[in-house]
Amino acid sequence: MELELRHLRTIRAIADAGSLTKAATALGLAQPALSAQLKRIERSLGGELFERGRQGVRATALGALVLDRARLVLPAVLELQEEAVRFARSGAPAGAGRRSLRIGGTHGPLLGGLVDRIASRDPGVEVVTHTSWSEREIAASTLEGRLDYALIGTCGESPPPEPGRLVWTEVARDPVFVMLAAGHPLAARPRVELGELAGEAWTDVPGDGCFADCFAAECARAGFAPVSVYETDIASCVHLVQVGRAVGLCRATFPDTPGMVTRPLAGTPLVWRHLLGRHPHAAAAVDAPRMTGHLRAAHRAAVARSGSYTRWLAARPPSEDGDAARVTPDGDG
């Protein structure tokens, strides 16, 4: 039996579902039929692709190898099909004379800055963006070839998703500040101790990264657990802070906003790293140095828009707070 694209789709469906029963339902097959098909595929590839157990199925070493290739091949074939349809309809190859980049990111100031930089410095490049609260989704889409670049962040030295399969470059790192209503009793302080906020309600944006765990750990070190946390979108977070219903955490690059202030946390207990990820074998990898340069320039612009951050940088003794901030020098990369 020759391996076909439908076989690769079957293997990926089993891996994604984690069990033959769930995969059969997703594929619209009877479970015995799917098991028989998997056995035929395994015979053609020379070994078992999945280990079966009470908790479902898990890829073997051979299965992991096949899945890695499938996650590159299947999106590429889909893109080929879509481009062929566009060619047939227009009579010209899609994007003739114009390159395109697909960039995914989580919430934050740098994705918009990156698009602006590319538009002004590389007008021949068309940018397609995708945003998600899920760092894992962005990383998976990059690994599978649906995105060229992933723009995410991690807390401190925590590893990003897929550290062994995607190439990650640190673009910058910032201290984490606290957002307070302009009339908050601590708003006039140059710095705020995390423990002084023990009785506050908090607001934050959703996500599946490490930040929530890092925040909880720092609160525990300060001797308290958050009273409550409102998880919502950025605009609602800002509103809750402005009206005094909650305080929140933000990257130091958060721009000056009427009705609220951002203040550094004493000792800089939390640090945010901006990371750019890519597949090591993707064609877009040739653009990585220039992309990194654009992002660093976008970060410098974001720093300049935050009065509290620029004041913090100016007042910080050289030996204080270590690597809490890393503002890179000029240059496009």
Side-chain angles (χ1 to χ4, degrees):
M1 182 185 78
E2 292 186 358
L3 192 66
E4 301 176 15
L5 288 175
R6 62 187 179 92
H7 299 143
L8 295 180
R9 294 190 185 98
T10 297
I11 295 167
R12 189 176 67 177
I14 294 171
D16 290 345
S19 80
L20 289 175
T21 301
K22 293 179 181 177
T25 301
L27 292 169
L29 298 173
Q31 197 268 336
L34 179 60
S35 296
Q37 185 182 72
L38 176 59
K39 288 179 181 178
R40 291 195 296 273
I41 295 171
E42 289 177 328
R43 282 198 298 270
S44 73
L45 293 174
E48 290 190 349
L49 301 179
F50 298 97
E51 297 175 351
R52 287 76 161 174
R54 291 184 178 180
Q55 304 302 317
V57 298
R58 184 175 62 182
T60 62
L62 175 60
L65 172 66
V66 174
L67 281 166
D68 280 345
R69 300 300 187 270
R71 285 171 175 147
L72 289 175
V73 170
L74 291 174
V77 171
L78 177 60
E79 186 175 347
L80 171 62
Q81 291 172 327
E82 291 174 347
E83 186 167 349
V85 170
R86 289 194 294 268
F87 180 89
R89 289 177 177 173
S90 67
R98 187 174 176 85
R99 293 186 298 128
S100 66
L101 287 175
R102 301 162 299 169
I103 306 169
T106 50
H107 52 88
L110 295 192
L111 183 57
L114 176 60
V115 172
D116 181 46
R117 290 279 303 183
I118 294 174
S120 61
R121 300 300 181 91
D122 296 320
V125 177
E126 180 181 15
V127 178
V128 177
T129 60
H130 171 74
T131 58
S132 171
W133 299 116
S134 172
E135 295 176 358
R136 295 179 193 143
E137 178 194 333
I138 295 293
S141 295
T142 306
L143 187 63
E144 293 171 5
R146 287 180 282 143
L147 292 172
D148 297 310
Y149 289 97
L151 178 57
I152 67 163
T154 63
C155 181
E157 301 305 321
S158 300
E162 305 291 351
R165 304 164 77 188
L166 293 177
V167 176
W168 294 98
T169 300
E170 181 178 309
V171 175
R173 60 173 64 195
D174 298 315
V176 173
F177 283 10
V178 62
M179 300 186 294
L180 303 169
H184 193 283
L186 300 176
R189 296 269 197 91
R191 295 190 179 207
V192 177
E193 295 280 351
L194 183 58
E196 294 179 289
L197 302 168
E200 302 280 356
W202 294 81
T203 184
D204 194 12
V205 293
D208 57 6
C210 57
F211 189 79
D213 292 337
C214 295
F215 171 54
E218 290 303 327
C219 289
R221 289 189 184 96
F224 73 97
V227 174
S228 61
V229 178
Y230 302 116
E231 191 176 81
T232 184
D233 60 274
I234 294 174
S236 296
C237 286
V238 170
H239 177 74
L240 288 171
V241 171
Q242 289 171 322
V243 298
R245 295 295 179 186
V247 301
L249 295 176
C250 64
R251 279 153 282 194
T253 50
F254 200 91
D256 296 342
T257 304
M260 57 169 273
V261 299
T262 62
R263 292 291 180 260
L265 290 168
T268 317
L270 293 165
V271 175
W272 185 262
R273 290 193 301 145
H274 300 275
L275 301 173
L276 180 67
R278 60 178 174 81
H279 195 287
H281 305 305
V286 297
D287 293 306
R290 191 157 182 80
M291 287 283 288
T292 303
H294 284 330
L295 273 170
R296 287 177 173 156
H299 177 261
R300 291 191 298 274
V303 171
R305 289 193 296 269
S306 172
S308 58
Y309 196 3
T310 54
R311 288 191 296 272
W312 180 83
L313 287 169
R316 185 179 56 138
S319 60
E320 188 177 336
D321 293 320
D323 264 350
R326 185 172 296 159
V327 183
T328 51
D330 291 339
D332 285 335

